[in-house]
């Protein structure tokens, strides 16, 4: 009977950050994920911003963890070979009478320890952000804000954790958790999934939108996850130099407002909305959402046009009250809750991981360092991110780099095969890892080619290739089989 | 750097017709670059007949039509053909960068013809709200899956758009045994040829909804249903008329967009709303010696017209080369 020291439920950015953080210790760790691939929950559909810590209450846990996470992410990104770009954010005021609010935000941020913030005037804005609306009068400038690819961060955290011995199991939806006592081995949790069972001495509940359901399984019911939807709209890469910084309006009650975002992949993105939403599965976008985002974004950057939009999506923030809930459960010893990880959860993830480490230690788990911890990961190659001179050398070494599959985003057969070797099993998994199918034609040209590569590499019939896991089959029947 | 008198990008009917004609007009140093493993472009997946009535006075299938040009071009050694070669960069002075398995190549062209065809409009471009499950295809992708790969994309299909491509695909699905639940068209009448309206949908009793549009796609894993609504004269939805149709597939045949990102990169002016080059005369761009022909120049209905106009591009390039000598 195998008993893991620790099982993490949920392989989003938070679960994988915890796994990686703890993989330097002598522990048997497993991660259980209900989807077929990692980062298919909230961690795939967000703004990809590493927030500096502004717009948070100075006493909030999320504010503190955000400021810490912003510092920690830099080293992690370097170690894992994930591109992190510090581009800075501007919280923009459009009316003279709103300027005092900028000063308030600045004071709040100072209390939280946000570094290098300052108020900039209209002249500064015109010079450093040329496409911004002429109506912008001033802004709070936070240079430590940055951007990262949220899914690539999650995949690379997971890959590095696995290189250090963590086991990750996908298609494992946790359905019940009970306590057991063993004569010789002491106490453990028995975790049943839809297909099998696992045992662990400690559990970390990092199940995002389902964190309340997991908590209910062990009798904790003092919080409820209430999803808050955010719709985002992505512009064609042609407009990648539209802005130089992340642009925010003054914050609204429930959100940071609608932003103009530079993404790590190069596209400009506008959004998100913030609407409470009853259904945890409702990832639909709406006409109203589009109109709201468009008009707010145009207020900041008037040249944005509806025809520039090439893609859109919605994400659900897992909200449980105003703040994160991160705690050891006294009523269920050795069970740690990491819930309500709404924005800025992506930013805070590395700090959450450290905090969880401390909680485990305080509650009896011995954290002894391994002799060898592989902190570094070889950077994944993306042709779209390197100069042609480098591409030429790569193609010489491996001809498959010259075999372009996705023409809109310039993704080679080699990159797709690498993604599959690193764990991609679905078309969306390949898309998030490589950007193939994410461009202006949306896979119109390359879907069949990618299906064939995936089918061959994973020995899966074409009719069993899915977009994002079982049930989302791309085609209904293979005629050639008959 | 390698130099060529004339480089043609795109080996569909437009690129081939232009290459052959330029050769016949005296250009003897031609490179034809094609991204795919074979020549023929989009014709390869159009297995239906009806091509070439004007040009060849015969009804051919797409691949047969392409084969006539391929056979001819292969007899001309002065036209060098580079397959699996993908052009990734173009500068205003006609330097091209292209990748192929094993090498990255840079080449200086004296004259250049772009015949890169077009791409299909996506669901995102016509903004259909809703979820993003599997089962949403562009007509061209569905056509490729069925005709080339032998895969059936879906069994209960809604076709959006009633141009010839939409109509032909509705029939294709029907003949493959799928249930075509509806062809939905936002305009007041069918957009394709009358011939296709009769032979592709009326003959098979496929329900046709004009003045209707899809307002929402539903389903988490695979498409489950769509909401359809009638629109008024200004294309505004008439709310009370909304109804749902169960389906597992949404096929989008909502128009084509010329592919001109490369010439845009080189600095040629592009019409923002059509994505076609700004042009004062057939095939011309705002850069001299840089021509665009075929579906990249404008979206054509018939391949026969594509070939004739592309031959003109071959002549224009030959003329231009004589002028700079
Ligand atoms: C629109 C939007 C924009 C945002 N923008 C930003 C931003 O710019 N910056 C920022 O810092 N934050 C942002 N956030 C917040 C950030 O995305 C989240 O805080 C973060 O992704 C949460 O990660 P997670 O790992 O907790 O959740 P998830 O990624 O959802 O991970 C939880 C995982 O648990 C799995 N799971 C659930 N139930 C079970 C079960 N029973 N058994 C097994 N597995 C299970 C799920 O499938 C999922 O993969 C944004 C959020 C939204 C919605
Ligand atoms: C579904 C469908 C049905 C049709 N039915 C009919 C019909 O019944 N009758 C009729 O007359 N016409 C029909 N047509 C129209 C006809 O097929 C087209 O007008 C014609 O094929 C256009 O030719 P083209 O050479 O301009 O473009 P394409 O055939 O698209 O060729 C463009 C070529 O350029 C290549 N290329 C693009 N970018 C690059 C790059 N960066 N580097 C290298 N190579 C590149 C592409 O791979 C492609 O091979 C149909 C079209 C479609 C899509």
């Amino acid at each position: 009977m195998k008993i893991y020291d620790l099982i993490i439920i949920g392989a989003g950015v938070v679960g994988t950050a915890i796994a990686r953080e703890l993989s330097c210790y002598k522990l048997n760790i497993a991660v259980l994920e209900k989807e077929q691939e990692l980062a298919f929950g909230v961690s795939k559909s967000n703004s990809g911003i590493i927030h500096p810590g502004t717009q948070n209450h100075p006493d909030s846990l999320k504010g503190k963890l955000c400021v810490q996470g912003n510092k920690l992410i830099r080293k992690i990104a370097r170690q894992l070979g994930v591109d992190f770009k510090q581009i800075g954010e501007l919280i923009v005021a459009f009316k003279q009478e709103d300027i005092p609010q900028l000063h308030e935000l600045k004071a709040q941020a100072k209390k939280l320890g946000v570094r290098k913030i300052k108020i900039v005037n209209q002249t500064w804005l015109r010079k450093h952000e040329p496409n911004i609306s002429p109506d912008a009068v001033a802004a709070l400038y936070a240079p430590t804000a940055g951007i990262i690819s949220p899914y690539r961060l999650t995949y690379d955290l997971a890959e590095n954790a696995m290189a250090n011995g963590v086991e990750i199991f996908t298609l494992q939806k946790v359905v019940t958790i009970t306590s057991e006592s063993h004569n010789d081995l002491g106490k453990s949790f028995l975790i049943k999934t839809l297909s099998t069972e696992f045992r662990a001495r400690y559990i970390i509940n990092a199940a995002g939108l389902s964190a309340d359901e997991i908590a209910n399984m062990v009798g904790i019911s003092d919080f409820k996850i209430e999803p808050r939807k955010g719709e985002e709209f992505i512009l064609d890469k042609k407009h990648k130099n539209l802005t130089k910084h992340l642009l925010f309006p003054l914050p609204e009650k429930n959100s940071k407002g609608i932003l103009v975002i530079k993404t790590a992949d190069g596209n400009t993105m506008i959004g998100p909305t913030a609407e409470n939403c009853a259904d945890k599965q409702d990832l639909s976008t709406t006409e109203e959402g589009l109109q709201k985002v468009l008009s707010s974004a145009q207020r900041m950057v008037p040249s944005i046009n509806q025809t520039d939009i090439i893609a859109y999506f919605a994400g659900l923030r897992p909200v449980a009250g105003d703040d994160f809930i991160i705690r050891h459960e006294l009523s269920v010893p050795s069970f740690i809750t990491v819930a309500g990880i709404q924005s800025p959860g992506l930013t805070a993830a590395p700090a959450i991981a450290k905090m969880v480490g401390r909680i485990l230690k305080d509650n009896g788990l011995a954290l002894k360092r391994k002799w060898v911890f592989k902190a570094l990961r070889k950077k994944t190659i993306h042709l779209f991110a390197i100069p042609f001179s480098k591409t030429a050398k790569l193609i010489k070494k491996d001809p498959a780099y010259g075999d372009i599959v996705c023409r809109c985003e310039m993704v080679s057969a080699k990159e797709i095969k690498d993604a599959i070797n690193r764990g991609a099993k679905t078309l969306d998994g390949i898309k998030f890892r490589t950007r193939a199918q994410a461009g202006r034609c949306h896979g119109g040209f390359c879907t069949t080619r990618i299906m064939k590569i995936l089918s061959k590499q994973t020995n899966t019939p074409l009719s069993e290739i899915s977009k994002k896991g079982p049930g989302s089959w791309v085609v209904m029947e293979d005629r050639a089989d008959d | 750097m390698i130099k060529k008198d004339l480089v043609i990008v795109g080996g569909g009917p437009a690129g081939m017709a232009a290459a052959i004609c330029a050769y016949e007009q005296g250009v003897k140093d031609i490179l034809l670059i094609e991204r795919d493993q074979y020549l023929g472009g989009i014709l390869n997946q159009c297995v239906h007949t009806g091509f070439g009535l004007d040009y060849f006075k015969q009804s051919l299938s797409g691949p047969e039509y392409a084969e006539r040009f391929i056979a001819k071009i292969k007899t001309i050694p002065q036209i060098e053909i580079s397959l699996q070669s993908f052009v990734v960069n173009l500068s205003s002075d006609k330097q091209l960068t292209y990748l192929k398995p094993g090498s990255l190549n840079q080449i200086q062209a004296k004259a250049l013809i772009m015949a890169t065809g077009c791409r299909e409009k996506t669901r995102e471009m016509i903004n259909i709200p809703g979820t993003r499950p599997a089962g949403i295809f562009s007509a061209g992708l569905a056509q490729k899956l069925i005709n080339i790969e032998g895969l059936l994309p879906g069994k209960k299909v809604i076709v959006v758009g009633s141009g010839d491509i939409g109509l032909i695909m509705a029939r294709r699905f029907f003949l493959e045994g799928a249930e075509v639940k509806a062809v939905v068209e936002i305009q007041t009448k069918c957009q394709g040829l009358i011939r296709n309206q009769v032979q592709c949908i009326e003959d098979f009793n496929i329900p046709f909804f004009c003045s209707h549009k899809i307002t929402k796609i539903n389903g988490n894993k695979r498409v489950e249903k769509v909401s359809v609504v009638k629109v008024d004269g200004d294309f505004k939805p008439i709310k009370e008329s909304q109804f749902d149709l169960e389906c597992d597939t949404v096929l989008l045949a909502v128009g084509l967009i010329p592919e001109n990102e490369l010439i845009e990169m080189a600095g040629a002016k592009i019409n923002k709303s059509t994505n076609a080059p700004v042009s004062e005369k057939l095939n011309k761009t705002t850069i001299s010696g840089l021509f665009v022909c075929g579906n990249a120049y404008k979206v054509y209905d018939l391949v026969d017209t594509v070939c004739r106009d592309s031959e003109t591009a071959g002549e224009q390039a030959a003329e231009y080369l004589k002028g700079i000598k």
Side-chain angles (χ1 to χ4, degrees):
Chain A
M1 183 172 47
K2 172 148 192 175
I3 302 180
Y4 287 96
D5 295 312
L6 178 69
I7 281 187
I8 300 163
I9 303 173
V13 69
V14 172
T16 54
I18 296 171
R20 197 253 177 182
E21 169 73 25
L22 299 176
S23 68
C24 70
Y25 301 112
K26 290 183 185 163
L27 296 172
N28 280 316
I29 304 175
V31 182
L32 306 183
E33 168 56 51
K34 75 169 158 56
E35 300 295 329
Q36 190 169 14
E37 297 207 37
L38 320 184
F40 272 23
V42 191
S43 300
K44 77 165 185 308
S45 33
N46 56 58
S47 307
I49 299 174
I50 298 302
H51 291 289
T54 51
Q55 302 126 304
N56 285 301
H57 194 278
D59 296 327
S60 62
L61 178 59
K62 62 182 183 184
K64 285 177 195 140
L65 293 174
C66 179
V67 174
Q68 289 170 20
N70 180 293
K71 285 183 195 143
L72 292 168
I73 197 79
R74 293 148 202 272
K75 185 169 164 200
I76 292 179
R78 233 180 301 121
Q79 290 177 329
L80 300 182
V82 190
D83 287 322
F84 165 79
K85 289 196 200 95
Q86 173 168 308
I87 60 170
E89 72 172 29
L90 294 166
I91 304 175
V92 184
F94 289 92
K95 284 184 255 148
Q96 218 61 42
E97 59 262 37
D98 286 339
I99 294 179
Q101 217 182 317
L102 293 181
H103 286 278
E104 263 169 55
L105 286 171
K106 183 179 170 198
Q108 247 187 20
K110 274 230 143 120
K111 264 195 202 153
L112 271 169
V114 181
R115 291 172 300 151
K116 299 184 192 161
I117 39 175
K118 63 173 183 195
I119 309 268
V120 294
N121 62 18
Q122 190 165 48
T123 324
W124 190 100
L125 285 174
R126 295 261 165 90
K127 178 160 174 226
H128 294 95
E129 197 56 90
N131 291 327
I132 203 168
S133 159
D135 298 340
V137 289
L140 177 62
Y141 176 38
T144 56
I147 51 176
I148 203 160
S149 159
Y151 24 86
R152 282 203 279 279
L153 174 64
T154 306
Y155 292 130
D156 296 347
L157 283 166
E159 209 179 301
N160 188 238
M162 291 200 291
N164 288 297
V166 171
E167 293 172 65
I168 301 187
F169 300 91
T170 54
L171 289 178
Q172 296 295 341
K173 180 174 178 172
V174 172
V175 286
T176 63
I177 303 171
T178 48
S179 286
E180 296 181 314
S181 295
H182 312 279
N183 291 336
D184 44 346
L185 298 165
K187 283 177 96 167
S188 70
F189 291 105
L190 173 64
I191 304 170
K192 289 206 168 141
T193 67
L194 284 176
S195 56
T196 178
E197 54 186 45
F198 297 85
R199 290 184 166 82
R201 293 195 198 286
Y202 286 79
I203 290 182
I204 293 164
N205 171 10
L209 287 164
S210 304
D212 52 350
E213 293 152 45
I214 300 288
N216 286 342
M217 291 176 197
V218 294
I220 297 163
S221 55
D222 64 339
F223 67 90
K224 194 169 166 352
I225 302 286
E226 288 172 324
R228 190 176 293 145
K229 193 195 276 187
E231 298 180 32
E232 311 238 30
F233 299 83
I234 301 171
L235 311 188
D236 195 296
K237 254 195 190 165
K238 286 178 201 169
H239 308 287
K240 74 186 215 187
N241 295 322
L242 197 61
T243 53
K244 296 187 176 348
H245 307 85
L246 298 156
L247 301 185
F248 292 62
L250 285 165
E252 291 168 18
K253 187 172 159 282
N254 274 336
S255 75
K256 301 183 185 73
I258 284 161
L259 328 175
V260 178
I261 303 158
K262 262 178 113 75
T263 64
D265 285 344
N267 307 64
T268 297
M269 184 160 83
I270 55 179
T273 54
E275 300 290 338
N276 291 336
C277 160
D279 180 357
K280 285 182 180 174
Q281 304 221 17
D282 179 5
L283 292 173
S284 63
T285 52
T286 60
E287 178 64 26
E288 302 78 59
L290 168 66
Q291 292 314 330
K292 180 156 189 234
V293 167
L294 202 58
S295 63
S296 311
Q298 282 167 338
R299 185 163 171 238
M300 267 187 307
V301 180
S303 61
I304 292 174
N305 213 307
Q306 180 165 351
T307 55
D308 300 333
I309 295 173
I310 61 157
Y312 39 77
F313 63 83
L316 297 172
R317 305 170 184 82
V319 178
D322 287 337
D323 211 344
F324 296 167
I325 304 175
I326 303 173
R327 64 188 186 201
H328 176 252
E329 298 292 350
L330 285 177
S331 60
V332 192
S334 308
F335 187 95
I336 287 121
T337 298
V338 183
I341 311 301
Q342 49 174 296
S343 190
L346 170 67
T347 311
I352 294 174
K354 286 216 181 296
M355 179 172 170
V356 167
R358 284 192 301 273
I359 294 176
L360 285 167
K361 198 172 163 202
D362 292 345
N363 288 283
L365 184 66
L367 301 183
K368 285 195 210 109
R369 287 197 170 267
K370 285 178 185 158
W371 285 112
V372 188
F373 171 63
K374 296 175 207 134
L376 302 184
R377 183 188 159 275
K378 194 161 173 252
K379 192 178 167 114
T380 308
I381 290 166
H382 298 288
L383 294 189
F384 69 76
I386 59 175
F388 286 137
S389 55
K390 263 198 182 158
T391 305
K393 283 190 198 128
L394 285 171
I395 296 178
K396 282 242 167 67
K397 260 201 282 174
D398 190 332
Y401 277 116
D403 182 2
I404 298 297
V405 174
C406 167
R407 60 204 271 183
C408 304
E409 297 291 320
M410 200 169 118
V411 185
S412 64
K414 171 76 169 122
E415 289 159 81
I416 290 176
K417 286 177 194 162
D418 281 351
I420 296 168
N421 290 338
R422 296 200 325 273
K425 298 181 185 78
T426 64
L427 292 187
D428 275 2
I430 290 175
K431 176 169 82 182
F432 294 137
R433 284 180 176 83
T434 66
R435 279 197 67 75
Q437 319 155 74
R440 50 181 82 92
C441 91
H442 276 266
F445 290 108
C446 63
T447 301
T448 52
R449 180 83 197 281
I450 296 173
M451 286 173 73
K452 282 196 236 175
I453 298 175
L454 189 57
S455 162
K456 193 167 164 218
Q457 298 272 115
T458 58
N459 231 330
T460 313
L462 284 169
S463 53
E464 284 168 32
I465 301 288
S466 76
K467 179 170 161 42
K468 49 186 175 184
S472 66
W473 313 118
V474 182
V475 297
M476 300 302 246
E477 214 174 285
D478 192 343
R479 291 290 155 104
D481 276 355
D482 306 342
Chain B
M1 192 179 301
I2 302 169
K3 293 199 171 107
K4 279 275 169 194
D5 284 350
L6 175 60
V7 173
I8 298 173
V9 181
M16 291 194 288
I20 292 168
C21 183
Y23 168 77
E24 286 167 351
Q25 296 295 315
V27 187
K28 300 288 151 94
D29 180 28
I30 303 176
L31 172 66
L32 177 65
I33 302 178
E34 167 56 46
R35 186 180 53 88
D36 237 316
Q37 296 164 19
Y38 33 72
L39 296 172
I42 202 76
L43 289 173
N44 288 306
Q45 65 185 64
C46 301
V47 298
H48 57 279
T49 54
F51 294 87
L53 292 171
D54 181 36
Y55 197 91
F56 293 113
K57 308 285 177 233
Q58 224 176 327
S59 173
L60 304 171
S61 72
E64 285 167 350
Y65 192 103
E67 190 47 45
R68 301 232 167 163
F69 280 93
I70 297 172
K72 178 143 187 207
I73 212 166
K74 288 205 171 140
T75 63
I76 307 172
Q78 287 84 349
I79 304 179
E80 185 192 335
I81 297 169
S82 184
L83 296 175
Q84 279 190 287
S85 302
F86 177 70
V87 178
V88 291
N89 197 52
L90 179 62
S91 68
S92 59
D93 56 358
K94 306 187 195 75
Q95 273 186 28
L96 296 108
T97 307
Y98 65 96
L99 309 185
K100 61 192 287 183
S103 62
L104 180 146
N105 310 274
Q106 273 170 322
I107 198 158
Q108 173 71 58
K110 284 187 191 153
L112 193 60
I113 300 177
M114 303 298 288
T116 46
C118 52
R119 62 175 177 268
E120 297 175 275
K121 280 195 187 163
T122 61
R123 172 241 180 128
E124 285 75 12
M125 296 196 63
I126 59 164
N127 184 38
I128 307 180
T131 54
R132 288 159 298 116
I136 305 169
F137 299 90
S138 67
L141 174 56
Q143 188 181 45
K144 199 164 164 187
L145 288 167
I146 298 180
N147 293 347
I148 298 189
E149 311 298 342
L151 299 166
L152 185 62
K155 294 188 170 171
K156 283 187 277 177
V157 186
I158 306 281
V159 177
V160 186
S162 69
D164 290 314
I165 298 176
L167 299 175
I168 286 167
M169 286 312 295
R171 173 175 67 186
R172 192 87 195 103
F173 269 95
F174 183 91
L175 294 175
E176 288 294 322
E179 183 187 356
V180 183
K181 298 234 127 158
V183 174
V184 178
E185 169 60 56
I186 194 167
Q187 303 288 342
T188 51
K189 59 177 205 291
C190 183
Q191 299 297 292
L193 299 169
I194 301 286
R195 173 182 92 194
N196 283 333
Q197 183 178 351
V198 175
Q199 294 172 3
C200 294
I201 59 172
E202 289 176 5
D203 286 357
F204 303 110
N205 292 323
I206 293 173
F208 179 58
F209 296 90
C210 53
S211 296
H212 277 73
K213 73 172 197 174
I214 296 208
T215 50
K216 192 168 182 193
I217 295 176
N218 298 281
N220 278 326
K221 293 177 170 166
R222 179 86 196 191
V223 175
E224 287 163 17
K225 64 177 184 197
V226 295
S227 304
V228 182
V229 73
K230 196 170 165 57
V231 296
D232 64 18
D234 301 320
F235 303 118
K236 292 249 159 61
I238 304 167
K239 277 238 166 78
E240 315 79 74
S241 68
Q242 179 158 324
F243 61 100
D244 287 352
L245 285 174
E246 261 178 51
C247 58
D248 58 31
T249 301
V250 176
L251 202 73
L252 292 151
V254 289
L256 304 169
I257 310 160
E259 286 242 283
N260 284 307
E261 278 62 34
L262 285 167
I263 69 162
E264 190 174 14
M265 195 185 281
K269 285 212 181 79
I270 300 288
N271 177 324
K272 288 260 179 235
S273 61
T274 60
N275 213 43
V278 171
S279 170
E280 52 177 29
K281 217 173 144 200
L282 179 70
N283 303 335
K284 290 213 167 167
T285 66
T286 52
I287 297 178
S288 84
L290 170 62
F291 305 92
V292 176
C293 68
N295 273 349
Y297 181 73
K298 66 169 195 208
V299 177
Y300 285 86
D301 285 332
L302 294 175
V303 64
D304 286 346
T305 343
V306 166
C307 292
R308 291 203 198 289
D309 281 359
S310 299
E311 285 167 354
T312 306
E315 284 165 16
Q316 288 165 315
E319 194 99 330
Y320 172 82
L321 285 167
K322 277 180 207 144
I324 58 170
K325 266 196 185 136

